[in-house]
Amino acid sequence: MRHYEMKIAGVTRQLPIVRISDQLEIASFVILGDCELVLNAAQELMKVLPEVDVLITAEAKGIPLVQELSRLMNMKRYYVARKSIKPYMTNPFVTEVYSITTQNKQILCLEEEEAEQIRGKKVLIVDDVISTGESLKAMEALVKKAGGEIAGKAAILAEGDAANRKDIIFLEPLPVFPIKPSR
């Protein structure tokens, strides 16, 4: 298997290169279980984040990062937009998303009580990687639907063209690898 070596927040990782379509390969970046990377990345992001009241991420890969950022910011709570409506949810706020890594349409939702808790608050949307921006758009729609004010959007990496965006905060760019058609 091929790998892409990357240094992120002072930590070097070998990211496996995986094919996600006939035209594209990406370096697979997974922070789940990587305590060293999460802790270092959160500390680096803290240096450049705006002042916010609330943090939110989408289930599941952004959870370790938002947990550590919440701890560093002395927040008592953060929010996770779930990828399915759970039985305990009453009147969930729902939006749809098409993500490059799942390649299927998904939903993101917040329980009504959680949505009420972010109403009128300055919200930072947090993710591990920003790629096509579709997950961000869905999170923005969810936050706006709940009445929150988007104060920023942050991730550890910006993949492909996302690295050219001026409306996001990230630590490092992550290239994508187009597959050249064979003759």
Side-chain angles (χ1 to χ4, degrees), residues 60-73:
K61 292 189 294 182
I63 293 173
L65 180 60
V66 81
Q67 166 75 35
E68 182 60 13
L69 286 171
S70 294
R71 189 188 70 76
L72 291 171
M73 296 170 138

Side-chain angles (χ1 to χ4, degrees), residues 45-88:
L45 278 170
M46 284 293 296
K47 297 174 184 176
V48 295
L49 293 179
E51 205 170 297
V52 297
D53 303 314
V54 173
L55 301 178
I56 188 169
T57 193
E59 188 177 44
K61 292 189 294 182
I63 293 173
L65 180 60
V66 81
Q67 166 75 35
E68 182 60 13
L69 286 171
S70 294
R71 189 188 70 76
L72 291 171
M73 296 170 138
N74 294 315
M75 293 183 168
K76 293 182 185 199
R77 179 156 177 50
Y78 61 86
Y79 298 88
V80 177
R82 305 297 300 268
K83 290 185 178 174
S84 62
I85 297 172
K86 306 299 178 193
Y88 64 82

Side-chain angles (χ1 to χ4, degrees), residues 9-182:
V11 178
T12 301
R13 292 293 181 263
Q14 298 292 326
L15 307 179
I17 296 176
V18 296
R19 185 179 209 139
I20 61 166
S21 74
D22 290 340
Q23 295 88 30
L24 190 64
E25 292 178 324
I26 63 171
S28 179
F29 179 70
V30 179
I31 63 172
L32 296 174
D34 193 337
C35 298
E36 179 185 31
L37 180 60
V38 170
L39 297 177
N40 285 19
Q43 289 171 357
E44 287 301 307
L45 278 170
M46 284 293 296
K47 297 174 184 176
V48 295
L49 293 179
E51 205 170 297
V52 297
D53 303 314
V54 173
L55 301 178
I56 188 169
T57 193
E59 188 177 44
K61 292 189 294 182
I63 293 173
L65 180 60
V66 81
Q67 166 75 35
E68 182 60 13
L69 286 171
S70 294
R71 189 188 70 76
L72 291 171
M73 296 170 138
N74 294 315
M75 293 183 168
K76 293 182 185 199
R77 179 156 177 50
Y78 61 86
Y79 298 88
V80 177
R82 305 297 300 268
K83 290 185 178 174
S84 62
I85 297 172
K86 306 299 178 193
Y88 64 82
M89 292 180 166
T90 55
N91 300 319
F93 285 58
V94 179
T95 189
E96 291 183 344
V97 62
Y98 179 85
S99 169
I100 190 172
T101 51
T102 58
Q103 299 185 351
N104 292 316
K105 187 188 291 188
Q106 296 181 316
I107 65 165
L108 290 178
C109 53
L110 277 177
E111 206 279 326
E112 183 179 39
E113 185 179 318
E114 293 174 326
E116 288 172 9
Q117 292 170 6
I118 69 171
R119 183 175 295 123
K121 302 277 176 45
K122 292 186 290 185
V123 180
L124 178 69
I125 298 171
V126 178
D127 210 345
D128 59 336
V129 178
I130 296 171
S131 187
T132 63
E134 291 302 312
S135 295
L136 271 188
K137 280 189 220 170
M139 293 291 293
E140 287 180 84
L142 203 56
V143 168
K144 288 177 182 175
K145 192 173 188 178
E149 173 193 333
I150 296 164
K153 298 166 269 192
I156 299 171
L157 304 178
E159 186 173 52
D161 291 340
N164 299 323
R165 292 178 61 160
K166 302 295 182 214
D167 65 325
I168 61 173
I169 299 163
F170 62 95
L171 297 178
E172 298 292 338
L174 179 64
V176 295
F177 307 95
I179 298 171
K180 296 176 183 154
S182 54

